Amino acid sequence: MDSLRVSMAVFKRELRSYFESPVAYVFIVAFLLLTGFLTFSVTQFYERGVADLQPFFFWHPWVYLLLIPAATMGLWAEERRSGTIELLLTMPVTMTQAIMGKFLAAWLFITLAIALTLPVVFTTGYLGDPDLGVAFSGYLGSALLAGACVAIGMLASSTTRSQVIAFVVSLIVCLVLLLAGWPPVTGFFVRWAPTWLVDAIAAFSLMPHFESMQRGVVDLADIGYYVSVIVFMLFATHLVINNRKSA
Amino acid sequence: MITTSNLHKHFGRIHAVRGVSFSVQKGEVLGFLGPNGAGKTTTMRMITGFLPPSSGTATVCGHDVSDAPVEAKRVIGYLPENAPLYGSMTVRDLLTFAAEIRGFRGKARAARVDAAIEKCRLGSVRNQSVATLSKGYRQRTCFAQAVLHDPPVLIMDEPTDGLDPNQKHVVRLMIREMAAEKAIIVSTHILEEVDAVCTRAIIISNGTVVANGTPDELRARSGSGRLDDVFRKLTLGEEDVTNG
Ligand SMILES: Nc1ncnc2c1ncn2[C@@H]1O[C@H](COP(=O)(O)OP(=O)(O)OP(=O)(O)O)[C@@H](O)[C@H]1O
Ligand SMILES: [Mg+2]
């Protein structure tokens, strides 16, 4: 109970820090404009004549690819740069509480931005008769995918005191994991890596799990996949910070 | 209440702290002296649980910092070097955050924050964001954060750094007032401060303790009876002393 409260204190501070600076507003506006533009102009949502959400969810991974590294790059890098990591970690906080608090704050922040796209669902509801179950599973998949990207971004942020490096590293890792199952990428590995490794890399891809949820298939295996990616990244963050606190 | 035994810290090939042992009792204010790079900050970081020692142990109020870090951190108030603070928060929010992490809720939390603001004379800047504070006010905000929960052990890394003469005086008074019921470690480069607040002083050079005693005992170790001379004698090599 007490341990939860400590996590909550870290969580609240982190979430507030998004809104105390212009970051949150710039981020949310960019998120909505980008999703809107890609969905309505690039995919020509209206012209398709089919009222479903596929073209909307299709773009989520690519919007996350750009924006989530920006939202997470400061999580630890800024603590390192400004030295507040020393303040935080000499308070009676365990590493797990600090990591969980920060992760949940960043994740909730992204989820908030996602929730602001709900009018898109109402638009399709107005135009036709979309399957609300599919909409729900699409949003669930999208939020889980975002959680995995946030966890990756946090790990990248924990390794450095430079937000630029954190941004670039998490963008590249997210890109690789999004594209991992895609033939041109597997093709690059096939040339020199053993088959089992290629298969393993493809199995790690963030994409297929989201694609099946976009179609309305909620499989526990997909949820389990995202949860394990998140847990793995948080665990790795723990190790990184424990090993290089003051560097 | 604070005991360190044979603390060592390696940073790669740098051996920053080489076997530091001492203890501080309740009612004592220990001055931590030494030239730049002597290992003062590193030692304090090991006692406060920020850095794990390469070997040796630090114990605070009976809690081993490595084995029971959270219990140890609960009884410590720490003012890190250069007073790092979250820039985007206001003074009030920052202290509220510290109080919340220290387990205060509701009315008790508000009371703690108000008391700390009062005590450190931060009333005029309570709603100003930390990033816009002058250095002295930042230092005091960080000091407020360290004493907010009235900890039995207080560790301060250069607490008067960057303060004007009046504020230096105020901080020294506050340390003296709190001294009776706490164990306090203060690092400083200002030798008058040792006489003003410390009951005992340690001089550390190149990661080892080279002197440990009351200010008067230390003074007796030099012919001139001045702390500056003792400090120079103990922390400079023979050659450096003759060359000035
Ligand atoms: N994170 C680190 N990585 C590598 N070396 C470090 C690190 N932190 C400290 N050191 C080295 O350890 C030694 C002791 O540093 P420390 O900061 O403890 O000195 P100090 O006594 O506090 O000095 P000052 O009076 O300048 O504050 C220095 O040589 C410093 O370069
Ligand atoms: Mg120092």
Side-chain angles (χ1 to χ4, degrees):
Chain A
M1 193 60 216
D2 253 11
S3 133
L4 203 65
R5 281 178 168 171
V6 173
S7 274
M8 274 302 291
V10 176
F11 167 83
K12 266 167 39 191
R13 198 207 67 72
E14 199 64 45
L15 194 61
R16 278 186 70 163
S17 79
Y18 279 118
F19 290 94
E20 268 161 2
S21 60
V23 174
Y25 308 99
V26 171
F27 181 90
I28 288 175
V29 169
F31 182 84
L32 294 178
L33 284 179
L34 209 55
T35 349
F37 168 73
L38 292 170
T39 307
F40 293 105
S41 300
V42 178
T43 337
Q44 306 193 318
F45 188 72
Y46 294 113
E47 285 78 353
R48 283 174 76 235
V50 189
D52 72 4
L53 291 165
Q54 286 262 319
F56 167 64
F57 286 124
F58 173 81
W59 290 109
H60 279 202
W62 309 110
V63 175
Y64 294 159
L65 177 63
L66 194 63
L67 290 182
I68 290 185
T72 55
M73 65 187 185
L75 283 177
W76 288 103
E78 181 57 20
E79 297 255 5
R80 279 189 196 285
R81 195 199 55 75
S82 68
T84 46
I85 189 170
E86 186 172 2
L87 191 70
L88 180 65
L89 296 182
T90 52
M91 288 178 168
V93 179
T94 65
M95 199 75 80
T96 312
Q97 289 164 342
I99 289 173
M100 283 310 287
K102 275 174 180 285
F103 169 72
L104 291 176
W107 193 12
L108 184 76
F109 174 64
I110 307 286
T111 316
L112 229 80
I114 304 174
L116 289 175
T117 63
L118 277 172
V120 176
V121 179
F122 300 130
T123 312
T124 52
Y126 174 76
L127 292 173
D129 186 23
D131 188 336
L132 283 184
V134 175
F136 171 78
S137 90
Y139 269 103
L140 178 67
S142 181
L144 285 170
L145 173 65
C149 293
V150 168
I152 292 166
M154 177 153 93
L155 174 59
S157 179
S158 72
T159 59
T160 170
R161 58 167 59 211
S162 152
Q163 299 203 35
V164 176
I165 294 178
F167 177 85
V168 172
V169 169
S170 55
L171 190 133
I172 289 174
V173 174
C174 286
L175 183 66
V176 167
L177 285 183
L178 281 175
L179 295 180
W182 197 43
V185 177
T186 42
F188 169 76
F189 287 104
V190 159
R191 256 173 266 151
W192 51 272
T195 331
W196 63 264
L197 186 61
V198 178
D199 288 344
I201 293 169
F204 254 111
S205 178
L206 289 164
M207 206 64 120
H209 305 274
F210 179 50
E211 274 165 353
S212 61
M213 286 175 110
Q214 272 179 65
R215 290 194 305 271
V217 186
V218 179
D219 190 337
L220 274 183
D222 293 330
I223 298 177
Y225 163 79
Y226 285 118
V227 172
S228 29
V229 170
I230 291 171
V231 170
F232 176 81
M233 295 296 161
L234 298 191
F235 191 72
T237 306
H238 195 301
L239 281 183
V240 169
I241 295 176
N242 245 348
N243 282 314
R244 15 194 333 261
K245 276 182 189 161
S246 68
Chain B
M1 291 216 278
I2 309 167
T3 314
T4 71
S5 96
N6 211 14
L7 279 180
H8 282 266
K9 184 68 191 178
H10 295 269
F11 293 107
R13 282 172 48 240
I14 303 173
H15 196 171
V17 175
R18 314 170 180 218
V20 167
S21 308
F22 61 84
S23 66
V24 187
Q25 306 306 321
K26 182 171 159 176
E28 277 192 306
V29 180
L30 180 74
F32 221 51
L33 312 176
N36 294 134
K40 303 181 293 294
T41 300
T42 307
T43 305
M44 289 182 157
R45 284 179 168 167
M46 290 192 281
I47 300 172
T48 53
F50 179 58
L51 290 178
S54 302
S55 68
T57 55
T59 313
V60 179
C61 291
H63 307 293
D64 186 310
V65 176
S66 309
D67 296 342
V70 173
E71 286 76 4
K73 287 168 187 176
R74 262 196 206 113
V75 294
I76 298 176
Y78 180 38
L79 169 62
E81 194 171 33
N82 301 324
L85 295 168
Y86 294 106
S88 67
M89 301 177 93
T90 65
V91 170
R92 186 188 189 81
D93 288 344
L94 196 121
L95 295 177
T96 306
F97 169 66
E100 211 162 317
I101 286 226
R102 301 277 180 189
F104 298 104
R105 309 285 145 200
K107 281 218 180 68
R109 189 182 74 190
R112 286 281 167 175
V113 172
D114 289 340
I117 286 177
E118 175 101 2
K119 190 172 185 180
C120 303
R121 304 184 195 183
L122 291 164
S124 59
V125 296
R126 65 169 68 201
N127 292 318
Q128 197 173 327
S129 83
V130 169
T132 64
L133 292 178
S134 73
K135 180 165 181 194
Y137 274 98
R138 286 177 57 105
Q139 192 79 16
R140 273 147 73 182
T141 307
C142 206
F143 186 89
Q145 161 282 130
V147 298
L148 173 129
H149 53 297
D150 195 18
V153 167
L154 198 52
I155 296 175
M156 294 180 278
D157 204 346
E158 303 189 27
T160 56
D161 181 40
L163 296 183
D164 68 44
N166 299 335
Q167 286 309 318
K168 279 200 174 85
H169 181 70
V170 171
V171 167
R172 288 173 196 163
L173 274 184
M174 279 165 54
I175 294 175
R176 271 216 300 265
E177 268 167 33
M178 291 185 296
E181 72 271 26
K182 294 189 198 309
I184 302 178
I185 302 181
V186 190
S187 84
T188 181
H189 288 300
I190 307 169
L191 295 175
E192 308 94 77
E193 207 150 77
V194 177
D195 280 315
V197 299
C198 300
T199 57
R200 195 152 59 87
I202 280 182
I203 300 178
I204 167 169
S205 177
N206 265 324
T208 46
V209 175
V210 293
N212 182 351
T214 64
D216 288 331
E217 282 167 14
L218 293 186
R219 225 178 259 118
R221 293 177 64 162
S222 89
S224 65
R226 291 180 33 179
L227 275 179
D228 305 49
D229 294 329
V230 186
F231 186 84
R232 285 161 54 84
K233 188 174 142 200
L234 291 172
T235 58
L236 291 175
E238 286 294 324
E239 266 175 84
D240 300 326
V241 174
T242 41
N243 297 338

